[in-house]
Amino acid sequence: MTADIRTGAPARPAAAPEKVPAPRRRPRPGRFGVHIFLMGVSLAFLAPLLLAVYASLRPYEETAQNGYFSFPKHLSFEYYRRAYSESGMGKYFTNTLLIAVPAVLVTLFLASFVAFAVSRLKLRGGLVLLMFFTAGNLLPQQVIVTPLYVLFNRIPLPWWMSDSLTMYDSYWAVIIVNIGFQMGFCVFVLANFMRTLPQEILEAAIVDGAGVWTQFWRITLPLCRPALAALGTLEFTWIYNDFLWALIFISNPDKLPITSSLNNLRGQFFTDYNLLAAGSVLVALPTILVFLLLQRHFVAGLTLGSTKG
């Protein structure tokens, strides 16, 4: 602090300059158009679900008389109780979990092995192998239905694995088919994500004496958690909603997955579509719950690579 030459009094510190508020940016007209477009697309995707929820809360007689877009007079959860009890959803939910959970876990586990070998190890022919797995997604599923049906009828299984003593009419057939068809997509996504990981991390681990298994299990796999969570959410949704493979490879009605339970709500001569809507909402609840539980990791997995650093 310096003193004033004329008075000898200590000089006052200079006042800090006032901060001038930055001028607000005027929203560009293009942004309004983008927001309106995104809102329209979101409503278009949500409209069927919202209409199903709305119809499931109303009596069928009311909608038949006034239409589905009329103002409701009575709202209740009676259709949900009937849909759960009349279709036997508890049993079908268990069947679906016995198929979807092992299929998702095994698919991600095997796909992470292949992706690590292709992207992080100097594997000869790795690019060809990645192209082979990616090309598997282009094969129409209906093409191999008949060969798989014949093959599964000829593969024997012990009694504790299958009641039919063959792979046909067992959960194993549906699980293996789903694993085979979902592997290519998972390998493609994980391999591209692992390529974005810094190579210096593995080089430091190799200097410290880490083997291939340690590099994969303790270093690379934890870094792939967002990608694995995003893939797990998608794979569970796809396998959970599968209807084709279970209908072909399972003949016992007690082993069918949850998507087949909706057929129990359809009458031979009359179908209560409000009751069917309630059953559809109940069927969709587990996938919504999985998405909510993994939402943070799912969004992080979708935005990987959008920024640098």
Side-chain angles (χ1 to χ4, degrees), residues 40-56 69 277 280-281:
V41 173
S42 302
L43 290 176
F45 276 94
L46 288 176
L49 178 62
L50 296 177
L51 181 60
V53 174
Y54 181 57
S56 64
F69 296 98
S280 301
V281 174

Side-chain angles (χ1 to χ4, degrees), residues 119-120 189-201 220 223-224 227 304-307 309:
S119 61
R120 309 300 288 179
V189 174
L190 288 175
N192 285 280
F193 173 71
M194 289 181 182
R195 285 197 176 97
T196 64
L197 300 178
Q199 187 66 27
E200 292 79 7
I201 297 178
T220 304
L223 295 175
C224 296
L304 289 173
S306 59
T307 57

Side-chain angles (χ1 to χ4, degrees), residues 6-292:
R6 294 174 296 179
T7 61
R12 295 181 179 180
E18 296 182 359
K19 293 184 178 180
V20 179
R24 295 183 178 180
R25 294 182 178 180
R26 294 183 178 180
R28 291 176 293 180
R31 286 186 175 272
F32 288 109
V34 172
H35 291 168
I36 293 175
F37 173 75
L38 293 178
M39 290 176 60
V41 173
S42 302
L43 290 176
F45 276 94
L46 288 176
L49 178 62
L50 296 177
L51 181 60
V53 174
Y54 181 57
S56 64
L57 298 174
R58 303 177 62 187
Y60 180 78
E61 294 77 11
E62 181 179 318
T63 56
Q65 181 180 0
N66 303 324
Y68 283 95
F69 296 98
S70 59
F71 190 78
K73 297 180 180 179
H74 303 283
L75 295 176
S76 67
F77 292 95
E78 176 64 21
Y79 274 133
Y80 288 94
R81 185 194 63 80
R82 287 182 53 190
Y84 186 86
S85 60
E86 294 180 11
S87 64
M89 282 190 179
K91 173 182 61 179
Y92 294 111
F93 271 127
T94 304
N95 297 340
T96 304
L97 293 178
L98 292 176
I99 294 173
V101 174
V104 172
L105 294 179
V106 174
T107 300
L108 295 180
F109 186 67
L110 296 180
S112 61
F113 269 119
V114 179
F116 177 78
V118 170
S119 61
R120 309 300 288 179
L121 301 180
K122 296 180 179 179
L123 185 65
R124 181 176 299 179
L127 181 59
V128 177
L129 183 62
L130 180 60
M131 293 175 60
F132 174 78
F133 275 95
T134 306
N137 293 326
L138 305 178
L139 180 67
Q141 299 180 358
Q142 294 81 3
V143 173
I144 62 172
V145 166
T146 302
L148 286 178
Y149 178 83
V150 175
L151 179 64
F152 289 161
N153 274 283
R154 296 182 179 181
I155 297 178
L157 290 179
W159 61 269
W160 51 273
M161 293 182 65
S162 174
D163 298 336
S164 62
L165 301 181
T166 61
M167 188 169 289
Y168 176 76
D169 196 22
S170 68
Y171 299 129
W172 301 101
V174 184
I175 291 173
I176 290 175
V177 170
N178 281 309
I179 291 173
F181 272 97
Q182 302 300 332
M183 273 280 292
F185 175 74
C186 293
V187 169
F188 177 78
V189 174
L190 288 175
N192 285 280
F193 173 71
M194 289 181 182
R195 285 197 176 97
T196 64
L197 300 178
Q199 187 66 27
E200 292 79 7
I201 297 178
L202 287 185
E203 293 176 354
I206 294 173
V207 172
D208 292 338
V212 176
W213 175 256
T214 303
Q215 297 174 35
F216 168 75
W217 187 256
R218 302 187 61 181
I219 299 176
T220 304
L221 208 59
L223 295 175
C224 296
R225 185 178 301 172
L228 291 173
L231 282 175
T233 306
L234 293 174
E235 293 297 326
F236 181 82
T237 303
W238 292 338
I239 297 175
Y240 178 89
N241 292 326
D242 175 67
F243 181 73
L244 174 66
W245 296 121
L247 193 64
I248 294 174
F249 298 131
I250 294 180
S251 60
N252 189 350
D254 294 333
K255 296 181 180 180
L256 291 174
I258 188 63
T259 51
S260 304
S261 66
L262 296 179
N263 283 332
N264 297 339
L265 299 177
R266 299 177 63 92
Q268 183 177 2
F269 303 104
F270 168 75
T271 299
D272 190 338
Y273 290 100
N274 293 30
L275 178 62
L276 192 62
S280 301
V281 174
L282 289 177
V283 169
L285 284 179
T287 56
I288 298 175
L289 179 62
V290 170
F291 174 77
L292 293 178

